[in-house]
Amino acid sequence: MKALVYHGPGAKSLDEMPKPILRSSTDAIVRVSKTTICGTDLHILKGDLPTVTAGRILGHEGIGVVDLSGAGVTRFHAGDRVLISCITACGKCEYCRRGMPSHCEDGGWILGNTIDGTQAEFVRIPYADTSLYALPEGADEEAMVMLSDILPTGYECGVLNGDVSPGDTVALVGAGPVGLSALLTAQFYAPAKLIVIDLDDNRLEVAKQFGATAVVNSTDGKAVEKVMAMTGGKGVDVAIEAVGVPATFNICQEIVGAGGHIANIGVHGTSVNLRLEKLWSQNITLTTRLVDAVTTPMLLKTVMAGRLKPTQLITHHFKLAEIIKAYETFGNAGKERALKVIVTNP
Amino acid sequence: MKALVYHGPGAKSLDEMPKPILRSSTDAIVRVSKTTICGTDLHILKGDLPTVTAGRILGHEGIGVVDLSGAGVTRFHAGDRVLISCITACGKCEYCRRGMPSHCEDGGWILGNTIDGTQAEFVRIPYADTSLYALPEGADEEAMVMLSDILPTGYECGVLNGDVSPGDTVALVGAGPVGLSALLTAQFYAPAKLIVIDLDDNRLEVAKQFGATAVVNSTDGKAVEKVMAMTGGKGVDVAIEAVGVPATFNICQEIVGAGGHIANIGVHGTSVNLRLEKLWSQNITLTTRLVDAVTTPMLLKTVMAGRLKPTQLITHHFKLAEIIKAYETFGNAGKERALKVIVTNP
Amino acid sequence: MKALVYHGPGAKSLDEMPKPILRSSTDAIVRVSKTTICGTDLHILKGDLPTVTAGRILGHEGIGVVDLSGAGVTRFHAGDRVLISCITACGKCEYCRRGMPSHCEDGGWILGNTIDGTQAEFVRIPYADTSLYALPEGADEEAMVMLSDILPTGYECGVLNGDVSPGDTVALVGAGPVGLSALLTAQFYAPAKLIVIDLDDNRLEVAKQFGATAVVNSTDGKAVEKVMAMTGGKGVDVAIEAVGVPATFNICQEIVGAGGHIANIGVHGTSVNLRLEKLWSQNITLTTRLVDAVTTPMLLKTVMAGRLKPTQLITHHFKLAEIIKAYETFGNAGKERALKVIVTNP
Amino acid sequence: MKALVYHGPGAKSLDEMPKPILRSSTDAIVRVSKTTICGTDLHILKGDLPTVTAGRILGHEGIGVVDLSGAGVTRFHAGDRVLISCITACGKCEYCRRGMPSHCEDGGWILGNTIDGTQAEFVRIPYADTSLYALPEGADEEAMVMLSDILPTGYECGVLNGDVSPGDTVALVGAGPVGLSALLTAQFYAPAKLIVIDLDDNRLEVAKQFGATAVVNSTDGKAVEKVMAMTGGKGVDVAIEAVGVPATFNICQEIVGAGGHIANIGVHGTSVNLRLEKLWSQNITLTTRLVDAVTTPMLLKTVMAGRLKPTQLITHHFKLAEIIKAYETFGNAGKERALKVIVTNP
């Protein structure tokens, strides 16, 4: 089968690979019909993630059709249309039972990381019963791909952890796909103000279309000043960090108001300076989270009900045969005005 | 001054009454500019509320302008435009400090009940600092009147107590003004389905315009059957009771699903039969609440942000001089297609 | 093997039965070393539970040793000492994933109900990975038997659902084994007052030893009056119903204070009269729950830490061969001063 | 009257000062009967708090008797025995109504900071109705002094914010008076393990007597290693920081397990290095808080019920005339084995 294979830092190719086989009775083999590329895949390609070794098929998002299922899989059968979760959950360990499968003792984020992933014609899904979701009748397939990772990530790490509530003033730092996912799902809770901060005017324009009530281009280094002015000096109720560098974290800690929340989504490569000499008395809550994707069933319902429109996030379409080109487009997101790209098989 | 006075069961008139005076240093006198009539006022007129005695000026909703304030009032001054809360909060007692001023030891719902109310040219507001809210610049005055009672009631007793959450299936029994307030504010939380049940097709039509995803006319006694069919036999996540009679409570307990919530808003005059022989094992939560109106500041923000449009609830306008006619219209809500009526002074 | 078999209303015997065999790859066969009898077993014997048919082996509590496990069982192996949960959880369905396995689509309370149970030498446990717990090194086996059902029931349905909190005044109606389990676990949360109400002076004496700060014998029909006096007329923060009849439910609804909780544990056979004409404005929360047994891992930790001493609940010991006598003793709990009886195999 | 006056960095004396007078109708003058010294007072004396200016009477804890009350004070009268909260709450502003009076717009921590404090014969208490608590009949006066600041601080900032729950493994870094207050109140929630870390063996010994299940002397720099070993490499559920320096914060962030909480109590003078490159994916929650003292009424109940014994924290007694000596003793806490000192007037 065709698959996008990582060959070490900077190197990838669309290779012919063996079709995956069942290794455990709880596995399923899924024929991938649509997948996408994540910012994390770009990090892998830079060599930032030592857990990913050469020869690995990338990708942790997608939908498809069950091709084969192990004897222990009871909820899915060959022919079922399924959504693949980026998080593999054994459903049995302490962490899965605490609702935190991101730290599953035999799963978590392993697809396209420590086991082969979804940017291929077929993929093996361990613990299929608790790592796949049935696609509802009439579901828009492209919308569903957004539920593998990006929407649960924005929602769980940003909106839920940030405790976005009706009437709140929310600031979102970073208008990339994950930040925009937080922007879309924050609107589940009727915040009064949704301020989006980014360096790219195009993305800020998109943010406005997606529901931002104000946008701030932080190129001039005055984002903190501007947000404080917008909030009468009080700061925001919730600051969502969706970039993953010290500068954006810093904006968050400068603009959060007394009693407020900082919800970190960003994948950070270095430590940050936490201003406890100021914040110790500010009654703030700071959270981090690797997505658990436990809200996928709920998000599915909101999509089917028309309350959430994930296809807004999709800007480009490719065939699996063109996936190298898809990576180029996604890798030049600013210039290409790319958010999420859909890769279809065949 | 002119005021609507209760003269015992069935009797009311627009009388000339003495203008109220300050009785305590924490009182304010407010010149009422707009008020409205509540379903509770109709109950009072039937003689259902023994706490209300003949001679009482009715009304517990309204906005106005501070005319005079006691020496102990620090947050409001003559000339300030204010929203009057239906709940008087001393701000000091155990209940106020627990966030439950509905049971304030020296307040609670007293306006138009145990002390004179707002259907008058002027009203005395005890504990003004904690019972009035400043009207924001540019606020729509008629929208604000809806924040005195009806919107906090629908929101706190129905939506918050019912724990309406994204993706939920919610059923609302009773599409009167309070039920519709719950319908509007339930949408703060992106439920997937909002089923409204009533006997009146006109009100169901209004419910649809207000965001109901399905409506059920229960005249045929088949509401339970229909809701169970709509939910694949599972029942709803949240059932909100907004009528106050055994029949509507019964619908709620028959349609609530395992793990679901019944949130009672209705003012009940008799006990109900609770089917514990079925419900004991259904992991349900049943709540009751007299509105605390502690969410008024939050609701104000959502109105100012355009997320909530309370003027949808207003169907008729009268002058204070015409308040008897306003009562007639509101008392014949079905025929008049009346929801809330605004009474303006002068 | 020997097993206690139900033969229809009023009829049971210790019979020779075939040893259970694996029926699914996720099953385990457990050799039962200790089991106990539950009040529910007595209900079954009266014929109150139509789901239990003649020929059924009773029992849903116990500990034992894994004898055999299916190919799909990954967390337990032959020879492992295990605690059997009264709730069978598939771990995959909507309800299991919501943390509510009491309503598991293929499990829930089935042991000794719709499938054969633990009052036998061996028992088949479906979904063993998510329905058994490993006994920690050094665990007291008899203490562990109390974690199969009774302690999670008192804790989840009474204490957690009742939201018992530090400083609270808690009333517990019914000092049987489940009520006493709620009494023990309520002390996890440092309530200020723990008032226990029962008809039996012996049980009230036990309640005092278990931590009740006051006891009320309700034989004289004055329990409500007395509790109201003890609370300065305010009522209690939490009322836990642990009997299951209208009279005890009624005590709860009469003594609950404004803003308080009624947590129902009792298995009710008839409906009750809910005084909504009084309670609609009292801001109360009423909950029901079939135990989910999701807190078993946490309870295990508190037992191992010495914070909870479940053996206090054990009054009698029998061999499996004497189980008919064990039933007699447990069935005459009042006269025998019996709480929980341990039945040991062999 | 006699009062302990701050005269700039390093300088204090017991001076004759004018007796305070009522400045607002909501003030009360309290004759202080018992006060104490806080670690914050030592910081002030070092000149660390620029808000405190020369001439200020120090102290923000104490109990006493109302001497005089303004016309607007309705809940307290001359002769009432009262507990003085370290937090002054106007009861009216946005923050007070959110339950966060630490940030009260006209109050917060002002006693012995921006207005004169309690280390004096008399003290003026603004907003007396919402800043004083009635001492219950039979209350132990010395126990009550511990409720002014130290116990609410340990409880709110450490235990509540850390979400200490039954069965948890909790680590507490710093066994000074505030840390020990967190240790005492953490036991409200039946944690399985309470590990206390400090540099001082005497304090660790005290911690054991107060309920620590394990203690770690961190002088050897191996605290992290030891705690990880104690938790099987998983880390703790809750890490409470009760010192306020980078080294102790660092221990917390190294020992917190996936899904765990870091609750900061310490007053930090410098920023810390937050290891987001590791923590971003660990699903942690980090909180800060200036005590709100909103749990004082609840703590009062637990003390009266005998569930909390604050007098354990008291090691020394002085007369107000000896307060300079009291400062010396408290300032040499290590050598003097001092926790809290009681200063009695007269």
Side-chain angles (χ1 to χ4, degrees), chain A residues 87-92 96 101 104 107-108 126-131, chain C residues 97:
Chain A
I87 295 296
T88 300
C90 78
K92 305 170 175 184
C96 281
C104 171
Y127 299 110
D129 277 335
T130 39
S131 308
Chain C
R97 297 183 84 173

Short mmCIF file of all heavy atoms in Angstrom, two decimals, chain A residues 87-92 96 101 104 107-108 126-131, chain C residues 97:
data_model
loop_
_atom_site.label_atom_id
_atom_site.label_comp_id
_atom_site.label_asym_id
_atom_site.label_seq_id
_atom_site.Cartn_x
_atom_site.Cartn_y
_atom_site.Cartn_z
N ILE A 87 -6.09 9.56 19.90
CA ILE A 87 -5.69 8.93 21.18
C ILE A 87 -6.18 7.49 21.21
O ILE A 87 -7.39 7.23 21.05
CB ILE A 87 -6.29 9.72 22.36
CG1 ILE A 87 -5.71 11.13 22.43
CG2 ILE A 87 -6.06 8.98 23.70
CD1 ILE A 87 -4.21 11.22 22.69
N THR A 88 -5.26 6.58 21.41
CA THR A 88 -5.60 5.17 21.55
C THR A 88 -5.84 4.89 23.03
O THR A 88 -4.99 5.23 23.86
CB THR A 88 -4.42 4.31 21.03
OG1 THR A 88 -4.22 4.63 19.65
CG2 THR A 88 -4.71 2.83 21.19
N ALA A 89 -7.01 4.33 23.34
CA ALA A 89 -7.38 4.11 24.74
C ALA A 89 -7.63 2.63 24.98
O ALA A 89 -8.49 2.04 24.33
CB ALA A 89 -8.65 4.90 25.05
N CYS A 90 -6.89 2.06 25.93
CA CYS A 90 -7.13 0.63 26.24
C CYS A 90 -8.45 0.46 26.96
O CYS A 90 -9.03 -0.62 26.95
CB CYS A 90 -5.96 0.05 27.06
SG CYS A 90 -6.01 0.49 28.81
N GLY A 91 -8.92 1.52 27.63
CA GLY A 91 -10.20 1.46 28.32
C GLY A 91 -10.15 0.73 29.66
O GLY A 91 -11.16 0.61 30.34
N LYS A 92 -8.98 0.26 30.03
CA LYS A 92 -8.88 -0.59 31.23
C LYS A 92 -7.96 -0.04 32.30
O LYS A 92 -8.09 -0.38 33.47
CB LYS A 92 -8.31 -1.95 30.82
CG LYS A 92 -9.06 -2.67 29.73
CD LYS A 92 -8.24 -3.88 29.28
CE LYS A 92 -8.98 -4.72 28.25
NZ LYS A 92 -8.21 -5.93 27.90
N CYS A 96 -7.18 5.53 31.77
CA CYS A 96 -8.39 5.48 30.95
C CYS A 96 -9.62 5.58 31.84
O CYS A 96 -10.57 6.29 31.51
CB CYS A 96 -8.44 4.19 30.14
SG CYS A 96 -7.38 4.26 28.68
N PRO A 101 -7.23 9.18 28.93
CA PRO A 101 -6.53 8.21 28.08
C PRO A 101 -5.31 8.79 27.37
O PRO A 101 -4.54 8.03 26.79
CB PRO A 101 -7.60 7.78 27.07
CG PRO A 101 -8.64 8.82 27.11
CD PRO A 101 -8.61 9.40 28.50
N CYS A 104 -2.84 6.80 28.79
CA CYS A 104 -3.14 5.35 28.81
C CYS A 104 -1.84 4.57 28.89
O CYS A 104 -0.88 4.86 28.18
CB CYS A 104 -3.91 5.00 27.53
SG CYS A 104 -4.12 3.22 27.29
N GLY A 107 -1.48 3.01 25.49
CA GLY A 107 -1.99 3.77 24.34
C GLY A 107 -1.56 5.21 24.43
O GLY A 107 -0.40 5.51 24.54
N GLY A 108 -2.54 6.10 24.42
CA GLY A 108 -2.23 7.54 24.40
C GLY A 108 -1.99 7.96 22.95
O GLY A 108 -2.56 7.36 22.01
N PRO A 126 -5.10 -0.19 17.41
CA PRO A 126 -5.20 -1.02 18.62
C PRO A 126 -6.41 -0.59 19.45
O PRO A 126 -6.85 0.56 19.37
CB PRO A 126 -3.91 -0.73 19.38
CG PRO A 126 -3.01 -0.03 18.40
CD PRO A 126 -3.92 0.67 17.44
N TYR A 127 -6.91 -1.51 20.26
CA TYR A 127 -8.06 -1.23 21.13
C TYR A 127 -9.16 -0.51 20.34
O TYR A 127 -9.60 0.58 20.69
CB TYR A 127 -7.64 -0.39 22.34
CG TYR A 127 -6.61 -1.10 23.20
CD1 TYR A 127 -5.29 -0.67 23.26
CD2 TYR A 127 -6.97 -2.23 23.94
CE1 TYR A 127 -4.35 -1.33 24.03
CE2 TYR A 127 -6.02 -2.90 24.71
CZ TYR A 127 -4.73 -2.45 24.77
OH TYR A 127 -3.80 -3.10 25.53
N ALA A 128 -9.55 -1.14 19.24
CA ALA A 128 -10.48 -0.50 18.31
C ALA A 128 -11.78 -0.09 18.98
O ALA A 128 -12.33 0.99 18.70
CB ALA A 128 -10.76 -1.44 17.13
N ASP A 129 -12.29 -0.92 19.88
CA ASP A 129 -13.59 -0.60 20.50
C ASP A 129 -13.58 0.73 21.23
O ASP A 129 -14.62 1.39 21.33
CB ASP A 129 -13.99 -1.70 21.49
CG ASP A 129 -14.65 -2.88 20.80
OD1 ASP A 129 -15.22 -2.70 19.71
OD2 ASP A 129 -14.59 -3.99 21.37
N THR A 130 -12.44 1.10 21.78
CA THR A 130 -12.38 2.33 22.57
C THR A 130 -11.54 3.41 21.91
O THR A 130 -11.27 4.45 22.52
CB THR A 130 -11.84 2.01 23.99
OG1 THR A 130 -10.80 1.03 23.88
CG2 THR A 130 -12.94 1.45 24.88
N SER A 131 -11.16 3.18 20.64
CA SER A 131 -10.34 4.17 19.94
C SER A 131 -10.93 4.59 18.59
O SER A 131 -10.38 5.44 17.91
CB SER A 131 -8.92 3.62 19.74
OG SER A 131 -8.41 3.15 20.97
N ARG C 97 -18.36 4.74 29.48
CA ARG C 97 -17.41 5.83 29.21
C ARG C 97 -17.84 7.14 29.85
O ARG C 97 -17.02 8.05 30.02
CB ARG C 97 -17.20 5.96 27.69
CG ARG C 97 -16.57 4.66 27.19
CD ARG C 97 -16.24 4.69 25.75
NE ARG C 97 -14.95 5.32 25.54
CZ ARG C 97 -14.36 5.37 24.36
NH1 ARG C 97 -14.93 4.81 23.31
NH2 ARG C 97 -13.20 5.95 24.24
#
